[in-house]
Amino acid sequence: MAAKTPKEIAAIAAARGTEKAALPWDKALVSGFLGGAYIAFAGLLAITVSAGLDPQTWGTLPTFFTGTVFTLGLVLVVIAGAELLTGNMALLPLALYERKIRLPGVARNFSMVLIGNFLGSIFVAYFLSVKTGILTAELPLARLGTIATGKGVTEDSAQIFLRAVGCNWLVCLAIWMAFAAEDVGGKILAIFFPIMGFVAMGFDHVVANMFFLPAAIFAGVPDIGWGDALHNFVFALLGNLVGGAVFVAGTYWYLYGRDRHDPAAQAEPEAGAEAGGPSPASPSRDRA
């Protein structure tokens, strides 16, 4: 199976971040809506699959099953095409570090995609999860309550933040490795393990939580309100940003990206071309 090198991935990722920064606000909003809905579909599937699995019997396997099916969300985002804030938290900062874009472009994309992700998530939570009766059935409601209570009530601010750092480190690595694959099957395989891992370990993904916590509120799960949801969103957002912008974009820019802007390398055309990886046309053909 053919695969791109890490240096080539870095070039592709920076080019994708540049493209995303130039995305018109309306397309970012609509694509963000799709991204939020896709993650919400994955959350809904994860609840229905793991509902009724008593931890006294199954131990920690329900979280493994939850993570396994939750991979659907990022598969839909990457293969079908959508904007997801957490993935953009690595791609746009990388392009920013390489001076391909400016901070206002990053802020504009993040803002529109965040709004779109939230709208898509709560649309699925309210209309397709609660109003359909899927999450108000006894077993799914109990599973939803367990997940939402953990994220909205049990975890404190520091725990949410640190879990969110670990989460988006893995999410952005999933997207990063998907760039390495040349075919759909390879991209899905690259996505599967990091996403399964972060969910099974109980990390916090701000867009996923935009589904779980509002769904719990809409379904009437006791002792969870919008204040709890907002508290989680804020610290999950900050942690996700650090996980993507520092631990993925920052480290790989240091390893591969900054060399493309070294004055000595720019003075030597052959060395500069080699460090630059694939031609500018190559990244635009990669849909991951």
Side-chain angles (χ1 to χ4, degrees):
M1 182 182 295
K4 299 180 180 69
T5 66
K7 184 181 290 188
E8 291 171 332
I9 296 171
I12 292 168
R16 292 291 290 135
T18 303
E19 293 174 7
K20 288 176 180 293
L23 196 64
W25 71 268
D26 55 333
K27 290 190 175 183
L29 187 64
V30 173
S31 189
F33 179 90
L34 294 179
Y38 296 162
I39 296 300
F41 280 135
L44 178 58
L45 176 63
I47 290 171
T48 56
V49 165
S50 60
L53 298 178
D54 187 354
Q56 296 292 334
T57 302
W58 293 88
T60 58
L61 280 177
T63 60
F64 170 72
F65 297 145
T66 301
T68 297
V69 299
F70 190 81
T71 57
L72 169 69
L74 194 61
V75 168
L76 290 174
V77 168
V78 170
I79 306 302
E83 290 290 303
L84 184 63
L85 178 64
T86 46
N88 289 6
M89 286 175 173
L91 301 179
L92 277 82
L94 180 61
L96 180 67
Y97 302 155
E98 295 197 13
R99 301 179 183 177
K100 296 178 180 292
I101 60 176
R102 295 182 177 273
L103 192 57
V106 177
R108 180 175 59 252
N109 178 272
F110 280 9
S111 299
M112 291 297 101
V113 173
L114 174 62
I115 294 170
N117 285 170
F118 179 71
L119 293 176
S121 297
I122 63 170
F123 176 85
V124 173
Y126 185 75
F127 291 106
L128 304 183
S129 302
V130 173
K131 286 300 182 180
T132 58
I134 294 173
L135 287 187
T136 54
E138 181 181 357
L139 293 180
L141 183 60
R143 178 60 174 152
L144 172 63
T146 299
I147 294 172
T149 300
K151 295 182 179 301
V153 178
T154 306
E155 296 174 20
D156 61 30
S157 302
Q159 289 175 327
I160 296 169
F161 175 81
L162 292 173
R163 291 182 186 212
V165 171
C167 166
N168 213 32
W169 193 344
L170 288 170
V171 170
C172 291
L173 282 176
I175 294 173
W176 189 270
M177 294 191 299
F179 283 129
E182 300 286 354
D183 58 16
V184 171
K187 291 180 186 297
I188 292 174
L189 185 62
I191 289 167
F192 178 84
F193 287 98
I195 302 304
M196 178 274 291
F198 101 71
V199 177
M201 289 185 283
F203 288 162
D204 275 276
H205 186 277
V206 66
V207 181
N209 292 354
M210 288 176 182
F211 165 76
F212 290 123
L213 292 169
I217 294 169
F218 297 147
V221 172
D223 302 322
I224 296 179
W226 286 107
D228 301 311
L230 182 60
H231 172 260
N232 180 281
F233 296 164
V234 169
F235 287 96
L237 180 70
L238 294 174
N240 286 167
L241 180 60
V242 172
V246 176
F247 288 98
V248 178
T251 54
Y252 284 110
W253 170 80
Y254 179 81
L255 291 172
Y256 304 111
R258 67 176 188 158
D259 294 342
R260 289 197 292 275
H261 302 280
D262 188 299
Q266 295 294 334
E268 302 176 12
E270 292 185 1
E274 181 180 354
S279 66
S282 299
S284 63
R285 292 196 299 266
D286 198 305
R287 292 182 54 85

